[in-house]
Each structure stands twice: as C-alpha cells, then as structure tokens.
Amino acid sequence: MNINPYLFFDGNCRQAFEFYAKCLNVEIKAMLTASDTPVGDQAPPEGRDQIMHACIAIGDDLLMASDWNCGPNPVPYEKPRSFRVSLNVTSAAEAERVFHALSEGGTTDMPLDKTFFSERFGMLTDRFGIPWMVNCEKGA
C-alpha cells in the first residue's frame, strides 16, 4: 500500500512541476495535457492545454498533480488549506538548499532552524500556494 499527495493547481501545474523538479533535483515522470487523453475533447476549450496529470518521483515516493479545471466536469478551484507536503531530507545542508529553493517567490511560515526534534525544520508556502514542511531528522 502507498499514499501519495495529489495536488491541484489553478492552471499553473506545468510551471509548478517544472519548478519542483528543479528545486528537488528530480525528473518529471509524467506531464499530460487534457488534450493528450481520451477525454480531451470533452474538456472545455480553455482547459485542453492544462495538465490532466503530472508526476515526479522523490526517492520512493510520488508527488502527483493536475490543473483543477481541465476535465469534462470543471468545478471551482479552491486554494489549498489545512495540510502541508512534508519533505524529509538526509542532511542539514540539503534542508537549507531545498528550503531556500522552494521558498523563492513564496513565503516563509516558520524559518528553517534547528529544533528539539530535528537538525533542521521549517515551513513555507511556495509561489504556487502549496504549503510545505522541510525536515532533517536529528543524527542525519
């Protein structure tokens, strides 16, 4: 059994996943527009070039996403709230690098610092409105 976050964007999924791939030093595994799928002709014309499905692998885990209004049954987009994507890294230096990269153009919600439970921990909301936690456990 696996659990993978699936994020929704308001038309900027492609830009977000290109940004994440760069920040996290990973490759995009999938990036399909609505028009690339069998239901593409059912999508509203303005949604056909939006992303129906995107995926990046981070270690053994997947982060997946889509543009919210690209399918045949569009509904109003809602901003993310009451969750964070938790990213665990293996060194304090990597925590610093990733935190600063992801926060470029976004906001720092809790500065990255040493805590009682980790070598580095911080929270940010990236430029696309996605909230993150970056953590490097003690002893790493």
Side-chain angles (χ1 to χ4, degrees):
M1 196 177 303
N2 295 75
I3 188 167
N4 299 300
Y6 203 103
L7 307 175
F8 290 96
F9 293 89
D10 193 18
N12 56 0
C13 181
R14 177 182 303 280
Q15 295 87 350
F17 264 53
E18 288 171 352
F19 177 72
Y20 299 155
K22 179 182 166 194
C23 291
L24 303 173
N25 290 329
V26 297
E27 291 185 19
I28 296 171
K29 294 180 67 75
M31 182 79 71
L32 300 170
T33 65
S35 60
D36 293 331
T37 70
V39 296
D41 60 343
Q42 297 173 35
E46 65 277 5
R48 292 188 180 146
D49 290 331
Q50 290 185 335
I51 302 303
M52 180 70 84
H53 178 71
C55 178
I56 57 176
I58 304 167
D60 293 333
D61 301 312
L62 299 175
L63 181 63
M64 298 182 286
S66 177
D67 283 315
W68 186 252
N69 261 342
C70 62
N73 300 307
V75 295
Y77 171 80
E78 292 183 29
K79 285 180 150 184
R81 63 176 195 247
S82 300
F83 79 95
R84 287 191 184 267
V85 177
S86 180
L87 182 64
N88 294 293
V89 298
T90 57
S91 72
E94 184 68 351
E96 297 277 348
R97 187 195 70 73
V98 168
F99 186 88
H100 294 294
L102 286 172
S103 63
E104 182 183 319
T107 58
T108 296
D109 303 320
M110 178 181 173
L112 188 71
D113 207 349
K114 191 170 186 164
T115 68
F116 70 92
F117 60 87
S118 67
E119 284 300 315
R120 296 288 185 281
F121 177 82
M123 296 188 291
L124 65 102
T125 301
D126 70 31
R127 67 173 81 168
F128 302 99
I130 302 299
W132 293 80
M133 294 188 307
V134 177
N135 184 52
C136 174
E137 294 181 6
K138 282 193 181 243

